[in-house]
């Protein structure tokens, strides 16, 4: 049963999350404890912090220079296509191997991070530094979450890849025609807009899954589908509160990003180099990860004792006993 919406606050959990972070990491400070909790945080966020390279835009001439520029683009395209056709005997096998490697690594990361999310919730909610026990205890939970995230990833692939193919086809048609026409430009802008909207929707689903569905699974529901059903009933009863949560969480993320960036600049980017290192960067930024995990758990706890992860050992069955 949900609590009255008037008692739900996005601000109150902030101070409580700071206190929780202090208790877990600094009371007392234990470097080995940081390494253990940091490992579960690293697993939980595996694959989330990969930065995509942004390409710079090239300039195009106007007037009399537009046609020579278009001709050069077309010649480059034809040369590239000819090279691929001539070397298809080795390019095709390499492309297949690379594709299988990417798919395999993606599945591995998805599976590991799904298990890691429950391990991290376990440590933050119970103020522990366990690694082996939660890895074993929440195997069924992690596998259910992995299956859900895999379906979500495939859905995103099916939705986004065809939309990305449309602007590519439009650009190719403009290259062949050596002119920029309205039709392909409209297709390109429309496709990119839809891709952005779909990407935001998928990111939102993953965010809600991590912040709320995973804790609900950790407390009671080993099935991701059942936990999502329970969470959706909460959203239907409190839509404004969850919208406000997302907006406030964005502000908190921006604020934390500014603080981290300021620290990086104060250390002449030395801290930035350390933060970029796998696992070590997560350990160094562990207060940030613990704070945000605590914040979402504390916000969820406002909806009643059934959603208080900090009392979860008294509410949920032993995960090892769940068949």
């Amino acid at each position: 049963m949900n609590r009255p919406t008037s008692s739900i606050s996005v601000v109150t959990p902030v101070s409580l999350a700071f206190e929780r972070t202090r208790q877990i990491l600094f009371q007392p400070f234990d470097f080995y404890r940081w390494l253990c909790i940091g490992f579960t945080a690293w697993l939980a966020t595996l694959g989330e912090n990969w930065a995509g390279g942004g390409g710079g835009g090239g300039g195009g001439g106007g007037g009399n220079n537009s046609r020579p520029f278009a001709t050069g683009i077309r010649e480059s395209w034809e040369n590239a296509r000819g090279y691929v056709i001539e070397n298809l005997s080795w390019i095709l096998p390499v492309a297949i191997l690379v594709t299988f490697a990417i798919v395999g690594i993606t599945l591995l990361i998805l599976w590991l991070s799904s298990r890691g999310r429950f391990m991290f919730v376990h440590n933050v909610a119970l103020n522990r530094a366990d690694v082996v026990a939660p890895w074993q205890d929440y195997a069924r939970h992690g596998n259910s979450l992995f299956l859900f995230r895999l379906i979500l990833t495939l859905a995103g692939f099916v939705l986004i890849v065809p939309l990305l193919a449309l602007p590519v086809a439009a650009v190719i048609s403009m290259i062949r025609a050596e002119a920029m026409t309205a039709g392909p430009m409209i297709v390109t802008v429309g496709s990119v807009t839809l891709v952005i909207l779909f990407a935001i929707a998928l990111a939102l689903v993953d965010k809600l899954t991590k912040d709320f569905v995973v804790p609900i699974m950790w407390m009671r529901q080993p099935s991701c589908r059942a936990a999502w059903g329970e969470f959706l009933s909460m959203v239907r009863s409190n839509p404004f509160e969850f919208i406000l949560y997302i907006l406030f969480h964005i502000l908190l993320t921006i604020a934390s990003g500014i603080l981290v960036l300021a620290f990086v600049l104060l250390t002449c980017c030395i801290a930035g180099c350390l933060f970029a290192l796998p696992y070590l960067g997560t350990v160094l930024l562990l207060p940030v990860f613990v704070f945000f995990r605590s914040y979402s758990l504390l916000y969820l706890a406002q909806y009643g004792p059934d959603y208080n992860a900090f009392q979860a050992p008294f509410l949920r069955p032993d995960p090892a006993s769940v068949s």
Side-chain angles (χ1 to χ4, degrees):
M1 182 173 64
N2 299 333
R3 295 180 64 181
T5 56
S6 59
S7 63
I8 305 300
S9 170
V10 296
V11 178
T12 302
V14 173
S15 60
L16 298 176
F18 275 118
E19 177 62 23
R20 187 69 181 177
T21 302
R22 186 183 66 83
Q23 291 176 355
I24 293 174
L25 299 180
F26 300 100
Q27 199 178 16
F29 175 82
D30 185 340
F31 185 64
Y32 177 75
R33 181 181 178 85
W34 275 55
L35 292 178
C36 293
I37 300 177
F39 180 73
T40 61
W42 177 69
L43 280 183
T45 59
L46 200 61
E48 295 180 5
N49 300 322
W50 291 3
N64 295 330
N65 294 327
S66 60
R67 190 167 184 81
F69 177 77
T71 302
I73 294 294
R74 182 179 181 181
E75 290 177 354
S76 300
W77 167 259
E78 294 295 339
N79 291 336
R81 187 179 66 171
Y83 178 82
V84 171
I85 293 175
E86 291 175 2
N87 297 275
L88 199 61
S89 58
W90 68 266
I91 290 179
L92 186 59
V94 169
I96 293 174
L97 287 176
V98 170
T99 300
F100 274 106
I102 292 175
V103 171
I105 293 173
T106 301
L107 291 177
L108 179 62
I109 289 175
L110 209 61
W111 179 69
L112 289 174
S113 62
S114 296
R115 296 280 286 269
R117 289 184 177 185
F118 292 99
M119 298 167 69
F120 192 38
V121 168
H122 171 92
N123 285 330
V124 172
L126 304 182
N127 192 7
R128 294 180 183 174
D130 300 332
V131 174
V132 177
W135 171 267
Q136 296 174 344
D137 290 343
Y138 302 103
R140 183 181 176 186
H141 299 67
N143 291 337
S144 179
L145 179 62
F146 165 72
L147 183 60
F148 173 81
R149 296 176 67 199
L150 178 60
I151 294 174
L152 188 67
T153 301
L154 292 175
F157 183 84
V158 171
L159 289 173
I160 292 176
V161 170
L163 289 174
L164 290 176
L166 290 177
V168 172
V171 170
I172 292 174
S173 68
M174 287 190 289
I175 291 174
R176 289 177 175 175
E178 299 184 8
M180 296 181 64
T181 55
M185 289 297 295
I186 293 174
V187 170
T188 300
V189 173
S191 299
V192 171
T193 301
L194 288 176
V195 167
I196 294 173
L197 292 176
F198 281 136
I200 292 174
L202 293 172
L204 181 60
V205 172
D206 186 67
K207 175 64 177 173
L208 294 174
T209 301
K210 179 174 65 174
D211 285 6
F212 302 118
V213 175
V214 167
I216 292 174
M217 292 177 68
W218 182 80
M219 286 184 277
R220 285 186 305 283
Q221 300 278 7
S223 167
C224 188
R225 180 179 177 181
W228 253 107
E230 185 173 341
F231 172 67
L232 287 177
S233 67
M234 296 173 61
V235 174
R236 284 191 291 267
S237 302
N238 309 276
F240 176 77
E241 283 68 29
F242 282 102
I243 292 174
L244 189 60
Y245 170 86
I246 293 296
L247 296 177
F248 190 75
H249 198 286
I250 292 174
L251 291 178
L252 289 176
T253 303
I254 294 173
S256 65
I258 292 174
L259 291 176
V260 171
L261 179 60
F263 183 72
V264 170
L265 295 177
L266 287 174
T267 59
C268 300
C269 297
I270 295 175
C273 296
L274 296 176
F275 293 160
L277 296 175
Y279 175 53
L280 178 59
T282 304
V283 173
L284 295 175
L285 289 171
L286 191 57
V288 177
F289 291 105
V290 172
F291 168 80
F292 278 105
R293 181 70 276 183
S294 300
Y295 175 76
S296 61
L297 292 176
L298 288 163
Y299 175 84
L300 182 63
Q302 296 178 100
Y303 288 87
D306 288 347
Y307 297 103
N308 190 339
F310 304 101
Q311 300 176 7
F314 305 102
L315 296 174
R316 62 180 177 87
D318 183 356
S321 67
V322 178
S323 59

